[in-house]
Amino acid sequence: MITSLKNEKVKNWRKLHNRKDRMKTETFIIEGFHLIQEAIKSNWKIKEIIIQNDIDLPSWINDEDILVTVVEEHVFQHISQTKAPQGIAAVLQIQANSMISGNRVLLLDRIQDPGNLGTIIRTADAAGFDAVVLGEGTVDLYNDKVIRSTQGSLFHIPVVQDNLSVCINHLKDKGYSIWASALTNSKNFHSVKPTEKVALILGNEGSGIDPGLIDLSDEIVKIPIYGKAESLNVSIAAGILMYYIMG
């Protein structure tokens, strides 16, 4: 059992709170029974389970190849990023996704808020989209708040990181219709009929989609505002448009 905050393992776990160290080690850390169970069910590679000494190891962690390390409560509190930790965490191998398949793809341009990104990924999973592509400038997928906001959907749907201009041209070559969500020169979304293959672009919370990406789109759509609000939260807009596209 690890009892010291100066232990090298503890130091390395703490480093995984930083993107640089996640990229360097190609690992990330998750917390809580639900997220760990979803990762196991989805066959993600778990390198280590970290469990507080007064917490029982759940029966569904039955892989003898998974290293389990027990720590004292103050050690777990030191590595935790949640306000009310459940006393269990896991170090996972980053799973590189590069292939996009299926007929419904979501493209995200510079989404900055971790809660928004996590919620959008969760909604894409719920709506039945086939993949999510994160463009440059989007918040790190393995940020703790992003992971928690996905509620496990991170492990269910392929999430690819790519240059969106290159990706859009690739998708167009494969017969996808590219939809951009924007206010200028746009049509109400329900006036546009989804084709067999659709890729939907959503943009930055403040500045929207990069104009160069809008120029590459086939359809520019908007969600009508009937009240006095100036705009919708990007994760809400994502949900409305994805469910419409799915029919």
Side-chain angles (χ1 to χ4, degrees):
M1 183 169 65
I2 295 177
T3 60
S4 172
L5 301 184
K6 295 181 179 179
N7 184 284
E8 281 303 311
K9 276 198 167 190
V10 176
K11 292 178 182 177
N12 288 333
W13 294 331
R14 283 272 295 184
K15 286 180 180 178
L16 295 181
H17 297 168
N18 303 314
R19 185 179 188 277
K20 180 183 72 173
D21 289 287
R22 291 193 290 267
M23 295 303 101
K24 182 179 177 181
T25 61
E26 297 186 345
T27 59
F28 65 105
I29 194 165
I30 63 174
E31 283 188 59
F33 292 99
H34 174 68
L35 282 176
I36 294 170
Q37 189 171 24
E38 290 302 308
I40 288 174
K41 282 161 58 177
S42 301
N43 296 316
W44 278 58
K45 173 67 176 175
I46 295 182
K47 297 181 73 72
E48 187 168 12
I49 297 285
I50 306 152
I51 193 159
Q52 200 170 291
N53 62 323
D54 57 350
I55 302 294
D56 292 329
L57 192 70
S59 59
W60 39 262
I61 299 178
N62 53 18
D63 187 340
E64 294 179 357
D65 293 331
I66 297 177
L67 173 65
V68 178
T69 301
V70 181
V71 301
E72 282 195 342
E73 182 180 358
H74 74 283
V75 175
F76 196 89
Q77 294 279 353
H78 184 66
I79 65 168
S80 173
Q81 290 186 284
T82 58
K83 291 180 181 178
Q86 295 179 14
I88 188 167
V91 177
L92 273 65
Q93 185 77 42
I94 288 176
Q95 185 170 294
N97 288 306
S98 57
M99 297 296 292
I100 298 173
S101 59
N103 293 337
R104 300 289 187 256
V105 177
L106 183 64
L107 310 174
L108 301 178
D109 177 34
R110 297 168 296 134
I111 299 294
Q112 289 291 294
D113 183 88
N116 281 341
L117 178 58
T119 301
I120 290 168
I121 291 170
R122 181 181 179 183
T123 307
D125 178 25
F129 261 55
D130 299 297
V132 178
V133 182
L134 309 184
E136 295 164 5
T138 294
V139 64
D140 181 27
L141 175 62
Y142 301 106
N143 174 296
D144 175 67
K145 290 181 181 178
V146 174
I147 293 170
R148 278 189 276 124
S149 296
T150 71
Q151 285 291 302
S153 288
L154 163 68
F155 306 120
H156 305 158
I157 183 171
V159 182
V160 179
Q161 304 196 29
D162 201 357
N163 177 291
L164 290 187
S165 296
V166 173
C167 181
I168 288 168
N169 284 318
H170 178 67
L171 290 170
K172 290 178 89 164
D173 288 344
K174 288 191 163 188
Y176 286 79
S177 176
I178 310 299
W179 290 26
S181 173
L183 296 176
T184 306
N185 300 321
S186 54
K187 307 171 186 174
N188 284 349
F189 73 93
H190 45 66
S191 70
V192 183
K193 186 176 179 181
T195 54
E196 182 183 354
K197 293 183 175 184
V198 178
L200 170 65
I201 315 169
L202 291 163
N204 177 269
E205 292 89 342
S207 59
I209 300 170
D210 182 279
L213 299 179
I214 292 178
D215 288 343
L216 293 174
S217 66
D218 301 302
E219 299 284 357
I220 306 173
V221 298
K222 66 180 177 182
I223 299 168
I225 303 290
Y226 300 113
K228 295 180 180 179
E230 289 186 0
S231 62
L232 286 168
N233 173 278
V234 66
S235 62
I236 299 295
I240 292 169
L241 293 173
M242 284 192 285
Y243 271 90
Y244 174 73
I245 288 168
M246 290 301 295

